[in-house]
Amino acid sequence: MSDTANASSTETPAGGPPGALEAVIGLEIHVQLATRTKMFCGCELSFGEPPNTRTCPVCLGLPGSLPVANARAVHFGLMIGLALGSELAPRSIFHRKNYFYPDLPKGYQISQYDEPLCLGGSLGEVRIHRVHLEEDAAKLIHVGASGRIHGSDASIVDFNRGGTPLAEIVTEPDLRTPEQASEWLRLLRTTLRQLGVSDVNMEEGSLRCDANISLRPAGASELGVKTELKNMNSFRFIERGIRAEIARQEKLILGGGTVVQETLHFDPGSGAITSLRSKEEAHDYRYFPEPDLLPVRIEQAMIDAASADMTELPAARAERLRVEVGLSAESARLLAFRGELGDYFEAALAATADPAAPAQVLANWVTGELVSRLGEGEDPASSRVRPEAISALVGLVAEKHVSVGAGRQVLDRLVADGGDPEAIVAAEGLAAMDGGDELAGIVAAALEANADAATRVREGNPKAVGPIVGYVMRETKGRADGTEVSRLIHEQLGI
Ligand code: ADP
Ligand code: MG
Ligand code: ZN
């Protein structure tokens, strides 16, 4: 046996113990583009209009009608490509992707195949495979028993959505965990929102995600057989769906079975994964170039126009917050990836000319204390706490006019009623106590009331200090400065 073979047979693969499996995840994201009209006709996009009122011969697929590509959709596609650092194809073409479905009246979807609008690129640590344009299908509504026809449950079709422009963004299989996948998708969503190319509303289906998942021995370079989880429409479901599918495949593989390539549905209600169909191959779709559409030729003027519409994107913002504002990488990412938090933080930062606290402290109050007091996903800008108010509050704490505990109480009041921190401090008597005799007296009382704890602290158990500090904070309604309390305790215990 050669040395190399010997070495590789005993080596622990990178990323886990021997025998461990690693997940590989690639995402396909469909984004409805916020154009005024549909991808290949002049019908306006629909926002809950009565069914089948936004239709014409083209999007109903009537014979003899001719599609024309939407220039605005191409413009948005180029903006997405620029944001992802893709190569913008000088020439791309549309293909017919043939399949039968009741919500696809032509019997084919116009999409792009081997010559897409954008190729390659990356967002964060994930490489982009391609971005292409296509049309959305109509909407099937399963009315079930309430619409029974000849004794069978019925489905009806609303063609308003049919023909809505979509950009499909396909990643390389660079993701490894469910959490990483959902965090990355948040970054993509924020990026698309910032670009203004879509309203990226997952519940309403303007952003939909398919996850491709496979397992392989940790550290291996070959990919395993993948399955595809279709159409997940919330970050939570995506995380849960991927986690469930990883567990299913792991059980299968560890039990000696093999994963079959197929398309799956995750039911967030029951947590069950069911097979929709065995995986189709490209040749099943009988792709061929759409004869009714001209190739898309990208001229410099179109790229210039797309560049002119670009705004600061989350990845760049995270970098600026880190380097120029001096935030930790973690805070910078959080604020940049949740753009509304970033906007609020920057407004608060700008509110004080010469802040008493470093920007990081303000960021901690915004992303920690404030966010935890708001509803899930609530935009702080729509809360009662004005950015100037939290900025002023952080200043009061930094200058020790109020203790951290009292500062938290002030924030409670701000969240409930709005207002001005200094006024709240005055009205509620929350100003910090100076370390004078009053506080020393309360510390002495706390030691007396917690004699056991005091003994244990004196004997060298610092954790026993809890009830003593708790007593002082209760007595002072949280106005005492924690450091000063600790100093007084030690002083009075003679340690
Ligand atoms: P398909 O032809 O089945 O659509 P593609 O090669 O076009 O497959 O890839 C579709 C998506 O699946 C991409 O996001 C890609 O990164 C991902 N993917 C491909 N192979 C794997 C794999 N073995 N494991 C996980 N994801 C994969
Ligand atoms: Mg696919
Ligand atoms: Zn139409």
Side-chain angles (χ1 to χ4, degrees):
M1 195 185 263
S2 78
D3 283 344
T4 11
N6 197 20
S8 63
S9 64
T10 54
E11 204 168 60
T12 300
L21 294 168
E22 131 183 297
V24 174
I25 304 159
L27 302 179
E28 295 168 273
I29 301 99
H30 288 92
V31 188
Q32 284 184 347
L33 297 176
T35 51
R36 190 176 62 80
T37 56
K38 292 186 180 180
M39 188 65 222
F40 299 114
C41 65
C43 292
E44 285 187 30
L45 298 194
S46 172
F47 296 94
E49 281 73 21
N52 299 309
T53 53
R54 296 263 162 116
T55 59
C56 74
V58 173
C59 57
L60 286 173
L62 301 187
S65 61
L66 289 173
V68 178
N70 184 330
R72 188 89 181 142
V74 174
H75 176 72
F76 285 165
L78 293 177
M79 287 175 67
I80 294 172
L82 285 174
L84 301 177
S86 308
E87 182 192 325
L88 309 177
R91 175 188 188 274
S92 65
I93 61 171
F94 289 101
H95 269 74
R96 290 186 181 180
K97 182 181 186 183
N98 296 279
Y99 60 100
F100 173 79
Y101 216 67
D103 59 10
L104 193 73
K106 297 194 295 291
Y108 59 85
Q109 176 193 29
I110 305 179
S111 181
Q112 294 194 295
Y113 179 47
D114 52 0
E115 294 183 59
L117 186 68
C118 313
L119 275 168
S122 63
L123 179 67
E125 69 276 25
V126 174
R127 290 168 303 151
I128 301 297
H129 181 56
R130 58 185 273 160
V131 181
H132 70 251
L133 297 174
E134 60 186 30
E135 57 178 340
D136 208 348
K139 196 170 193 169
L140 262 189
I141 301 154
H142 303 288
V143 290
S146 67
R148 286 172 89 86
I149 299 173
H150 302 311
S152 302
D153 288 1
S155 295
I156 53 177
V157 192
D158 175 5
F159 285 100
N160 283 357
R161 192 181 74 178
T164 297
L166 296 178
E168 177 170 341
I169 300 167
V170 183
T171 75
E172 294 292 348
D174 288 348
L175 294 155
R176 295 291 174 269
T177 66
E179 298 74 26
Q180 196 195 3
S182 80
E183 189 190 304
W184 184 83
L185 193 61
R186 273 181 209 279
L187 169 61
L188 178 67
R189 180 169 178 260
T190 307
T191 303
L192 294 167
R193 175 195 278 144
Q194 220 114 310
L195 287 173
V197 298
S198 170
D199 50 23
V200 293
N201 187 322
M202 294 190 81
E203 290 73 38
E204 289 170 14
S206 50
L207 185 75
R208 311 192 290 261
C209 180
D210 306 338
N212 296 269
I213 301 154
S214 64
L215 297 184
R216 65 181 177 190
S221 55
E222 250 171 65
L223 293 172
V225 176
K226 75 176 163 76
T227 59
E228 182 171 355
L229 280 183
K230 271 302 200 198
N231 272 340
M232 289 175 290
N233 67 349
S234 94
F235 292 106
R236 232 160 33 89
F237 295 167
I238 284 165
E239 248 184 80
R240 284 181 47 210
I242 295 176
R243 195 172 300 126
E245 176 55 10
I246 291 174
R248 189 191 69 88
Q249 289 187 17
E250 199 162 41
K251 199 168 154 206
L252 202 58
I253 293 171
L254 295 180
T258 50
V259 174
V260 182
Q261 186 166 334
E262 59 187 337
T263 304
L264 304 169
H265 171 72
F266 172 69
D267 178 357
S270 65
I273 290 176
T274 48
S275 179
L276 290 175
R277 51 178 182 264
S278 64
K279 178 61 190 180
E280 65 286 347
E281 303 288 341
H283 62 248
D284 295 329
Y285 291 118
R286 312 226 31 109
Y287 278 102
F288 66 86
E290 166 61 70
D292 290 338
L293 282 167
L294 292 167
V296 180
R297 285 187 190 284
I298 303 303
E299 291 163 6
Q300 189 56 43
M302 297 162 79
I303 299 176
D304 293 345
S307 311
D309 278 357
M310 303 289 283
T311 50
E312 185 190 44
L313 298 171
R317 187 181 207 182
E319 192 61 9
R320 178 173 59 79
L321 290 175
R322 193 178 64 80
V323 175
E324 286 174 28
V325 181
L327 299 185
S328 70
E330 196 189 348
S331 296
R333 272 166 76 99
L334 180 60
L335 291 166
F337 293 9
R338 276 189 61 184
E340 74 284 0
L341 270 189
D343 294 346
Y344 183 90
F345 165 76
E346 294 209 49
L349 190 65
T352 311
D354 188 14
Q360 181 65 53
V361 176
L362 178 62
N364 294 346
W365 275 84
V366 170
T367 59
E369 299 290 344
L370 178 57
V371 165
S372 69
R373 285 168 171 77
L374 302 178
E376 166 144 18
E378 186 183 342
D379 180 353
S382 57
S383 79
R384 298 195 158 168
V385 190
R386 286 172 299 110
E388 308 84 70
I390 196 156
S391 175
L393 173 59
V394 170
L396 292 175
V397 175
E399 287 168 338
K400 295 192 181 290
H401 292 312
V402 294
S403 69
V404 173
R408 293 196 179 109
Q409 295 177 49
V410 174
L411 188 57
D412 289 339
R413 289 295 311 271
L414 287 171
V415 169
D417 306 319
D420 170 57
E422 276 193 71
I424 294 172
V425 168
E428 310 261 315
L430 288 170
M433 306 175 65
D434 50 29
D437 295 345
E438 188 189 354
L439 186 57
I442 295 172
V443 168
L447 291 174
E448 208 174 293
N450 297 278
D452 287 355
T455 309
R456 272 181 282 136
V457 175
R458 197 183 285 113
E459 286 167 353
N461 178 0
K463 283 191 189 136
V465 84
I468 305 170
V469 174
Y471 181 102
V472 175
M473 288 305 172
R474 261 193 316 281
E475 285 299 304
T476 61
K477 298 205 183 70
R479 292 179 302 132
D481 178 58
T483 319
E484 182 61 12
V485 172
S486 171
R487 193 191 65 77
L488 285 168
I489 291 172
H490 285 78
E491 183 182 277
Q492 295 188 19
L493 289 175
I495 54 176

PDB file of all heavy atoms in Angstrom, residues 465-480:
ATOM      1  N   VAL A 465     -22.915  36.611  44.919  1.00  0.00           N
ATOM      2  CA  VAL A 465     -23.225  38.026  45.063  1.00  0.00           C
ATOM      3  C   VAL A 465     -24.620  38.379  44.530  1.00  0.00           C
ATOM      4  O   VAL A 465     -25.194  39.418  44.877  1.00  0.00           O
ATOM      5  CB  VAL A 465     -22.127  38.882  44.364  1.00  0.00           C
ATOM      6  CG1 VAL A 465     -22.388  39.017  42.877  1.00  0.00           C
ATOM      7  CG2 VAL A 465     -21.981  40.239  45.035  1.00  0.00           C
ATOM      8  N   GLY A 466     -25.203  37.454  43.702  1.00  0.00           N
ATOM      9  CA  GLY A 466     -26.490  37.720  43.029  1.00  0.00           C
ATOM     10  C   GLY A 466     -27.575  38.326  43.902  1.00  0.00           C
ATOM     11  O   GLY A 466     -28.054  39.427  43.614  1.00  0.00           O
ATOM     12  N   PRO A 467     -27.965  37.641  44.989  1.00  0.00           N
ATOM     13  CA  PRO A 467     -29.069  38.177  45.804  1.00  0.00           C
ATOM     14  C   PRO A 467     -28.745  39.526  46.446  1.00  0.00           C
ATOM     15  O   PRO A 467     -29.652  40.340  46.665  1.00  0.00           O
ATOM     16  CB  PRO A 467     -29.279  37.099  46.875  1.00  0.00           C
ATOM     17  CG  PRO A 467     -28.186  36.107  46.735  1.00  0.00           C
ATOM     18  CD  PRO A 467     -27.536  36.296  45.421  1.00  0.00           C
ATOM     19  N   ILE A 468     -27.471  39.761  46.722  1.00  0.00           N
ATOM     20  CA  ILE A 468     -27.086  41.046  47.340  1.00  0.00           C
ATOM     21  C   ILE A 468     -27.313  42.183  46.343  1.00  0.00           C
ATOM     22  O   ILE A 468     -27.945  43.203  46.652  1.00  0.00           O
ATOM     23  CB  ILE A 468     -25.606  41.006  47.798  1.00  0.00           C
ATOM     24  CG1 ILE A 468     -25.388  39.804  48.732  1.00  0.00           C
ATOM     25  CG2 ILE A 468     -25.211  42.318  48.456  1.00  0.00           C
ATOM     26  CD1 ILE A 468     -23.932  39.517  49.057  1.00  0.00           C
ATOM     27  N   VAL A 469     -26.811  41.969  45.117  1.00  0.00           N
ATOM     28  CA  VAL A 469     -26.995  42.988  44.075  1.00  0.00           C
ATOM     29  C   VAL A 469     -28.488  43.161  43.785  1.00  0.00           C
ATOM     30  O   VAL A 469     -28.986  44.286  43.641  1.00  0.00           O
ATOM     31  CB  VAL A 469     -26.231  42.603  42.787  1.00  0.00           C
ATOM     32  CG1 VAL A 469     -26.545  43.598  41.656  1.00  0.00           C
ATOM     33  CG2 VAL A 469     -24.730  42.555  43.043  1.00  0.00           C
ATOM     34  N   GLY A 470     -29.210  42.026  43.741  1.00  0.00           N
ATOM     35  CA  GLY A 470     -30.652  42.076  43.485  1.00  0.00           C
ATOM     36  C   GLY A 470     -31.364  42.950  44.511  1.00  0.00           C
ATOM     37  O   GLY A 470     -32.222  43.763  44.157  1.00  0.00           O
ATOM     38  N   TYR A 471     -30.978  42.808  45.762  1.00  0.00           N
ATOM     39  CA  TYR A 471     -31.573  43.606  46.838  1.00  0.00           C
ATOM     40  C   TYR A 471     -31.329  45.100  46.596  1.00  0.00           C
ATOM     41  O   TYR A 471     -32.235  45.918  46.678  1.00  0.00           O
ATOM     42  CB  TYR A 471     -30.964  43.159  48.173  1.00  0.00           C
ATOM     43  CG  TYR A 471     -31.492  43.871  49.400  1.00  0.00           C
ATOM     44  CD1 TYR A 471     -32.430  43.257  50.220  1.00  0.00           C
ATOM     45  CD2 TYR A 471     -31.033  45.147  49.749  1.00  0.00           C
ATOM     46  CE1 TYR A 471     -32.913  43.894  51.354  1.00  0.00           C
ATOM     47  CE2 TYR A 471     -31.513  45.804  50.872  1.00  0.00           C
ATOM     48  CZ  TYR A 471     -32.457  45.176  51.682  1.00  0.00           C
ATOM     49  OH  TYR A 471     -32.918  45.823  52.793  1.00  0.00           O
ATOM     50  N   VAL A 472     -30.089  45.429  46.266  1.00  0.00           N
ATOM     51  CA  VAL A 472     -29.739  46.844  46.051  1.00  0.00           C
ATOM     52  C   VAL A 472     -30.536  47.396  44.870  1.00  0.00           C
ATOM     53  O   VAL A 472     -31.083  48.504  44.925  1.00  0.00           O
ATOM     54  CB  VAL A 472     -28.222  47.005  45.794  1.00  0.00           C
ATOM     55  CG1 VAL A 472     -27.893  48.464  45.454  1.00  0.00           C
ATOM     56  CG2 VAL A 472     -27.415  46.534  46.995  1.00  0.00           C
ATOM     57  N   MET A 473     -30.621  46.623  43.788  1.00  0.00           N
ATOM     58  CA  MET A 473     -31.304  47.113  42.598  1.00  0.00           C
ATOM     59  C   MET A 473     -32.805  47.304  42.864  1.00  0.00           C
ATOM     60  O   MET A 473     -33.416  48.247  42.391  1.00  0.00           O
ATOM     61  CB  MET A 473     -31.075  46.162  41.415  1.00  0.00           C
ATOM     62  CG  MET A 473     -29.632  46.235  40.868  1.00  0.00           C
ATOM     63  SD  MET A 473     -29.179  47.937  40.422  1.00  0.00           S
ATOM     64  CE  MET A 473     -27.433  47.750  40.063  1.00  0.00           C
ATOM     65  N   ARG A 474     -33.363  46.385  43.666  1.00  0.00           N
ATOM     66  CA  ARG A 474     -34.787  46.547  44.021  1.00  0.00           C
ATOM     67  C   ARG A 474     -34.988  47.809  44.837  1.00  0.00           C
ATOM     68  O   ARG A 474     -35.853  48.625  44.557  1.00  0.00           O
ATOM     69  CB  ARG A 474     -35.263  45.336  44.827  1.00  0.00           C
ATOM     70  CG  ARG A 474     -36.014  44.298  44.002  1.00  0.00           C
ATOM     71  CD  ARG A 474     -36.747  43.290  44.890  1.00  0.00           C
ATOM     72  NE  ARG A 474     -35.986  42.796  46.020  1.00  0.00           N
ATOM     73  CZ  ARG A 474     -35.053  41.846  45.953  1.00  0.00           C
ATOM     74  NH1 ARG A 474     -34.745  41.300  44.766  1.00  0.00           N
ATOM     75  NH2 ARG A 474     -34.401  41.452  47.023  1.00  0.00           N
ATOM     76  N   GLU A 475     -34.145  47.978  45.821  1.00  0.00           N
ATOM     77  CA  GLU A 475     -34.271  49.143  46.715  1.00  0.00           C
ATOM     78  C   GLU A 475     -34.084  50.454  45.959  1.00  0.00           C
ATOM     79  O   GLU A 475     -34.714  51.446  46.283  1.00  0.00           O
ATOM     80  CB  GLU A 475     -33.220  49.059  47.841  1.00  0.00           C
ATOM     81  CG  GLU A 475     -33.552  48.042  48.922  1.00  0.00           C
ATOM     82  CD  GLU A 475     -34.860  48.360  49.621  1.00  0.00           C
ATOM     83  OE1 GLU A 475     -35.010  49.475  50.153  1.00  0.00           O
ATOM     84  OE2 GLU A 475     -35.766  47.491  49.606  1.00  0.00           O
ATOM     85  N   THR A 476     -33.189  50.430  44.978  1.00  0.00           N
ATOM     86  CA  THR A 476     -32.879  51.685  44.273  1.00  0.00           C
ATOM     87  C   THR A 476     -33.672  51.790  42.977  1.00  0.00           C
ATOM     88  O   THR A 476     -33.439  52.679  42.172  1.00  0.00           O
ATOM     89  CB  THR A 476     -31.377  51.769  43.932  1.00  0.00           C
ATOM     90  OG1 THR A 476     -31.057  50.668  43.066  1.00  0.00           O
ATOM     91  CG2 THR A 476     -30.511  51.708  45.176  1.00  0.00           C
ATOM     92  N   LYS A 477     -34.582  50.866  42.743  1.00  0.00           N
ATOM     93  CA  LYS A 477     -35.355  50.808  41.484  1.00  0.00           C
ATOM     94  C   LYS A 477     -34.419  50.836  40.272  1.00  0.00           C
ATOM     95  O   LYS A 477     -34.686  51.475  39.264  1.00  0.00           O
ATOM     96  CB  LYS A 477     -36.334  51.977  41.382  1.00  0.00           C
ATOM     97  CG  LYS A 477     -37.373  51.989  42.492  1.00  0.00           C
ATOM     98  CD  LYS A 477     -38.624  52.736  42.027  1.00  0.00           C
ATOM     99  CE  LYS A 477     -39.673  52.849  43.103  1.00  0.00           C
ATOM    100  NZ  LYS A 477     -39.253  53.778  44.210  1.00  0.00           N
ATOM    101  N   GLY A 478     -33.301  50.146  40.418  1.00  0.00           N
ATOM    102  CA  GLY A 478     -32.388  50.002  39.279  1.00  0.00           C
ATOM    103  C   GLY A 478     -31.552  51.236  38.988  1.00  0.00           C
ATOM    104  O   GLY A 478     -30.874  51.303  37.969  1.00  0.00           O
ATOM    105  N   ARG A 479     -31.584  52.237  39.875  1.00  0.00           N
ATOM    106  CA  ARG A 479     -30.857  53.467  39.563  1.00  0.00           C
ATOM    107  C   ARG A 479     -29.377  53.393  39.921  1.00  0.00           C
ATOM    108  O   ARG A 479     -28.599  54.244  39.550  1.00  0.00           O
ATOM    109  CB  ARG A 479     -31.484  54.651  40.320  1.00  0.00           C
ATOM    110  CG  ARG A 479     -32.881  55.009  39.841  1.00  0.00           C
ATOM    111  CD  ARG A 479     -33.444  56.165  40.631  1.00  0.00           C
ATOM    112  NE  ARG A 479     -33.489  55.869  42.062  1.00  0.00           N
ATOM    113  CZ  ARG A 479     -33.051  56.701  43.023  1.00  0.00           C
ATOM    114  NH1 ARG A 479     -32.546  57.870  42.696  1.00  0.00           N
ATOM    115  NH2 ARG A 479     -33.121  56.362  44.286  1.00  0.00           N
ATOM    116  N   ALA A 480     -29.009  52.400  40.716  1.00  0.00           N
ATOM    117  CA  ALA A 480     -27.606  52.334  41.150  1.00  0.00           C
ATOM    118  C   ALA A 480     -26.710  51.848  40.025  1.00  0.00           C
ATOM    119  O   ALA A 480     -27.115  51.033  39.201  1.00  0.00           O
ATOM    120  CB  ALA A 480     -27.498  51.396  42.348  1.00  0.00           C
TER     121      ALA A 480
END
